[in-house]
Amino acid sequence: MALGTKNAHPWFEVFHSRPRAKYQVFIFPSAGAAGYYYREWDKEFPEYEFSIVNYPGRAQRLSEKCLTTMKEFVEQLTSGLLPFITKPCIFIGHSLGSAISYALARHMLETKNKGNFLKLLVEMGRGPPHLEDPDVPFEKMTDAEIVAELKRIADPSARAIYDYPEYVQMMLPMLRADSKVAGELCDPIPLDIPIIVYGGEKEESVDESFLARWKELTNKKDLFHVQMFPGHHNFQSECQTQVLTHLKEDFRRLLT
């Protein structure tokens, strides 16, 4: 079901339906985010069908309770997403979404539940989930500290949104719940699929050397690489054209 229409699948929305696509791409957004700025990412990828993963407690699932453990995410995605994976697929995760996409991929491979369809993980904007995040988690911050941090890491063109109290109050419960999930550490078990990592050069606490430690979580080490972009935490929004150019090249290099 295409984005913007009534969605039959609560856990994901397809941007533009492409039944003949060779690959499915699932984007796992960051903490608190609904990920609407990804909706045009598939324009230059005619052989790929892109979908956004919808977390409970936001967007059209705003009335639902936010999840607070990775186990809940994996269990619910197993029943809510995996049955709809029907062809080779790629997971793209940003920040919290990187941790969730890795956890789900690991579960799929360990349980042999659609793991054979997984071809690539693209992880963006956070270090690997077996290492502690260098930033103070949202759940330990005051409201004012969270707002200040959101402005610090935001795309500069979008910072003004955090000056609206109603929007901030809506976001705070999501961010604190997501922070609990993002703070969970996993065992460093490498997966038998390629992992590539994108980061923002202006995000000081998540530098290239830290991102490079994702290499510890793949057995396809010869295919691993880190690509940095001239942006902040949300560099994929700030530098969208550059990110999509590199993504297209990485798909060509790794999937064809």
Side-chain angles (χ1 to χ4, degrees):
M1 186 85 48
L3 193 67
T5 63
K6 186 175 180 181
N7 189 23
H9 314 302
W11 268 101
F12 69 98
E13 285 186 84
V14 179
F15 292 173
H16 301 97
S17 181
R18 290 175 177 161
R20 296 183 180 179
K22 293 182 180 180
Y23 299 91
Q24 291 173 287
V25 180
F26 295 95
I27 298 176
F28 296 73
S30 60
Y36 290 121
Y37 46 75
Y38 295 109
R39 66 191 310 162
E40 301 299 327
W41 273 34
D42 66 345
K43 281 188 173 181
E44 302 300 323
F45 295 81
E47 295 185 340
Y48 299 81
E49 184 178 79
F50 279 63
S51 299
I52 188 78
V53 175
N54 296 322
Y55 307 150
R58 65 218 74 196
Q60 68 269 37
R61 303 183 71 182
L62 189 61
S63 63
E64 299 179 40
K65 182 181 178 181
C66 293
L67 305 184
T68 57
T69 68
M70 190 64 77
K71 181 180 179 182
E72 291 176 298
F73 268 101
V74 171
E75 287 177 347
Q76 293 195 29
L77 283 162
T78 296
S79 59
L81 176 63
L82 298 198
F84 301 97
I85 295 177
T86 59
K87 57 187 68 175
C89 67
I90 301 101
F91 287 173
I92 300 175
H94 177 247
S95 196
L96 167 69
S98 292
I100 295 173
S101 62
Y102 168 81
L104 182 61
R106 176 174 161 181
H107 173 76
M108 291 166 66
L109 291 165
E110 289 178 345
T111 61
K112 296 180 171 60
N113 185 353
K114 302 292 182 77
N116 59 307
F117 284 110
L118 274 171
K119 301 304 176 184
L120 175 66
L121 298 185
V122 183
E123 308 295 20
M124 306 189 296
R126 71 157 283 163
H130 65 296
L131 301 178
E132 285 194 26
D133 193 308
D135 293 324
V136 177
F138 286 137
E139 62 179 311
K140 295 183 179 179
M141 291 183 180
T142 65
D143 292 0
E145 288 172 336
I146 291 177
V147 171
E149 178 64 7
L150 290 172
K151 288 183 176 182
R152 184 185 72 82
I153 66 177
D155 178 337
S157 67
R159 284 176 182 156
I161 190 67
Y162 300 115
D163 292 326
Y164 292 89
E166 295 84 0
Y167 179 77
V168 170
Q169 289 304 311
M170 179 184 70
M171 293 288 293
L172 289 174
M174 304 176 205
L175 292 168
R176 289 196 167 101
D178 291 349
S179 178
K180 293 179 182 179
V181 180
E184 293 185 30
L185 299 181
C186 68
D187 294 328
I189 297 176
L191 308 182
D192 286 325
I193 53 174
I195 296 177
I196 60 174
V197 181
Y198 295 171
E201 294 172 349
K202 298 178 182 178
E203 186 172 19
E204 296 178 2
S205 60
V206 186
D207 61 16
E208 186 170 355
S209 62
F210 188 43
L211 293 172
R213 294 199 61 182
W214 274 98
K215 190 173 185 178
E216 298 167 21
L217 299 182
T218 176
N219 287 324
K220 308 290 185 179
K221 299 188 187 303
D222 57 321
L223 300 177
F224 178 85
H225 78 274
V226 177
Q227 179 65 49
M228 303 299 289
F229 297 89
H232 301 77
H233 182 65
N234 288 309
F235 64 89
Q236 82 284 11
S237 173
E238 292 178 73
C239 312
Q240 180 169 283
T241 299
Q242 293 167 268
V243 170
L244 293 179
T245 297
H246 280 278
L247 188 66
K248 184 183 293 187
E249 175 57 27
D250 283 328
F251 281 5
R252 185 201 63 76
R253 180 174 62 88
L254 296 169
L255 301 172
T256 59

